[in-house]
């Protein structure tokens, strides 16, 4: 069975878990805290990023791009349609949005909130910096406006079909939602879309995730939130 | 002919130009300054990133992931070996390093130096912040140590064959080298590798690039630097 070195709130780990669940591939999960920078972990990934995917290949998939491509290479089912559209134009729009999410949204929102709210709990005496939290949340409001605008005219984030871009955004929003940082009342279109994502069987494992001493926000696991 | 909206020192634009040159695909180039955030540009790419690749497809390739995948989709030659290795393990290692370069190296080094040295020239009265330049250059030293370490045991960045990872690193280092930020005297292995990259016919167009009122560093266009 393939195994994934992950953290439950790391959005890139969540993306790979969602893909594998969607493709019907069971995963052994090994939880680590990348911010502790333990030597064994740094030896496999000096960039200290997650996830790391071990499969039947000798080479692991290290980091989100490598792991996502590995899942596509090894596990895309033949019988059902995969998450990468067959049409080149649709793929281009999908990659544009995947980059938006794994680079821009991460860089402006998700990584700050995880650093401040989760990683800092392992630094004695450290507390979240209110200025950083405020900036990240204000950036999130702008991102949500953009996603609302897209989803007002499209069934799925990158167009007519569900793609990797939907899974990437759902992975990030589910982490942010766990921490209580998403104001769904101001994001009608994105909320409707997220409700569809959340109802997929692939989503179930994520909704049962719990971080020690940090319960999820009230609506986190509700399909009707 | 496909056309590329680019900036001469933007490393992601350079990566796509190198790929197209390697694959023998001529490009029309349209230069813009993404930091001016002009409305026509933001309409095509609200993320304000480069490059944007227009081809025979209706949908443009917007941003580095989308454009790189589009070049692979449309232009990988059948006759010569492409930049994405056929072996899944080799591809995983390639994507790990592509992510290292387009996310981590960019985030810790390249984007700061371009912002401070190039983009600020369009802000009246702004000058580069010495503290930011120092931090970026000190980060670059760490990155170069890692690349030296990899290239001491490998012919190419991701293994035995030249891949997209080599082109991504060469694109970033060529921008940094233009600005005079690479200390080659302390990077023997990377210098040997870069000398091989620079000698490829695909590299020629980059070496003729000039930014107005900012000549390149002395060794920039020399094959023997």
């Amino acid at each position: 069975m393939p195994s994934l070195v992950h953290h439950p709130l790391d959005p890139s780990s969540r993306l790979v878990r969602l893909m594998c669940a969607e493709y019907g591939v069971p995963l052994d999960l090994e939880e680590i805290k990348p911010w502790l920078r333990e030597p064994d972990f740094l030896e496999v990934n000096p960039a200290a990023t997650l996830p790391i995917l071990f499969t039947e290949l000798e080479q692991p998939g290290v980091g989100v791009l490598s792991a996502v491509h590995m899942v596509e290479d090894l596990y895309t089912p033949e019988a059902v349609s995969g998450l990468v559209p067959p049409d080149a134009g649709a793929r281009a729009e999908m990659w544009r949005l995947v980059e938006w999410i794994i680079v821009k949204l991460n860089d402006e929102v998700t990584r700050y909130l995880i650093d401040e709210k989760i990683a800092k709990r392992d630094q004695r005496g450290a507390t979240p910096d209110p200025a950083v939290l405020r900036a990240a949340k204000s950036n999130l409001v702008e991102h949500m406006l953009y996603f609302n605008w897209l989803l007002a005219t499209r069934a799925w984030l990158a167009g007519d079909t569900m793609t990797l871009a939907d899974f990437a955004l759902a992975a990030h929003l589910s982490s942010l939602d766990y921490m209580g940082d998403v104001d769904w009342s101001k994001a009608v279109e994105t909320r409707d879309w997220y409700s569809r994502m959340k109802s997929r069987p692939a989503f179930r494992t994520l909704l049962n995730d719990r971080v020690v001493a940090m319960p999820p926000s009230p609506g986190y696991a509700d399909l009707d939130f």
Side-chain angles (χ1 to χ4, degrees), chain A:
Chain A
M1 190 187 300
S3 71
L4 192 75
V5 178
H6 83 127
H7 183 274
L9 290 188
D10 171 60
S12 298
S13 306
R14 285 184 165 230
L15 170 55
V16 173
R17 289 168 66 199
L18 283 173
M19 289 177 79
C20 286
E22 183 74 15
Y23 289 166
V25 176
L27 279 178
D28 261 337
L29 294 176
E30 185 196 338
E31 182 175 334
I32 69 153
K33 295 173 172 178
W35 50 86
L36 299 183
R37 303 180 66 86
E38 288 168 304
D40 287 359
F41 169 55
L42 290 184
E43 203 163 307
V44 184
N45 186 9
T49 52
L50 288 176
I52 302 174
L53 177 64
F54 292 95
T55 66
E56 70 264 29
L57 298 175
E58 202 184 321
Q59 193 78 40
V62 176
V64 65
L65 279 187
S66 180
V68 159
H69 278 94
M70 190 173 276
V71 172
E72 281 299 314
D73 282 347
L74 299 181
Y75 305 126
T76 312
E78 313 249 329
V80 302
S81 68
L83 292 167
V84 176
D87 171 68
R91 275 202 301 278
E93 178 66 351
M94 179 198 85
W95 285 116
R96 176 180 82 82
L97 288 160
V98 168
E99 181 175 335
W100 185 297
I101 294 154
I102 69 175
V103 179
K104 187 176 168 68
L105 177 64
N106 191 56
D107 197 41
E108 295 172 356
V109 179
T110 322
R111 72 169 178 175
Y112 287 115
L113 291 171
I114 288 182
D115 277 357
E116 295 298 321
K117 292 188 167 186
I118 312 293
K120 274 198 173 171
R121 304 197 311 160
D122 288 317
Q123 292 171 37
R124 196 187 303 264
T127 50
D129 180 335
V132 175
L133 296 180
R134 245 192 331 268
K137 285 190 182 197
S138 144
N139 290 341
L140 178 57
V141 170
E142 297 300 316
H143 280 272
M144 293 300 276
L145 288 175
Y146 183 58
F147 302 136
N148 283 341
W149 179 79
L150 284 176
L151 290 164
T153 55
R154 299 172 170 192
W156 302 95
L157 198 60
D160 294 336
T161 56
M162 188 184 70
T163 68
L164 197 54
D166 295 290
F167 274 45
L169 181 57
H172 275 260
L173 288 186
S174 70
S175 291
L176 295 168
D177 191 37
Y178 188 102
M179 298 185 286
D181 289 317
V182 184
D183 181 355
W184 294 110
S185 72
K186 289 183 186 151
V188 179
E189 292 85 356
T190 310
R191 179 195 186 129
D192 287 350
W193 162 89
Y194 189 58
S195 161
R196 273 183 285 144
M197 293 301 295
K198 228 173 161 175
S199 307
R200 298 188 75 77
F203 233 80
R204 267 180 221 143
T205 46
L206 295 196
L207 299 181
N208 294 328
D209 276 355
R210 293 295 177 270
V211 175
V212 176
M214 181 168 188
S217 68
Y220 173 71
D222 293 350
L223 296 186
D224 186 19
F225 54 103

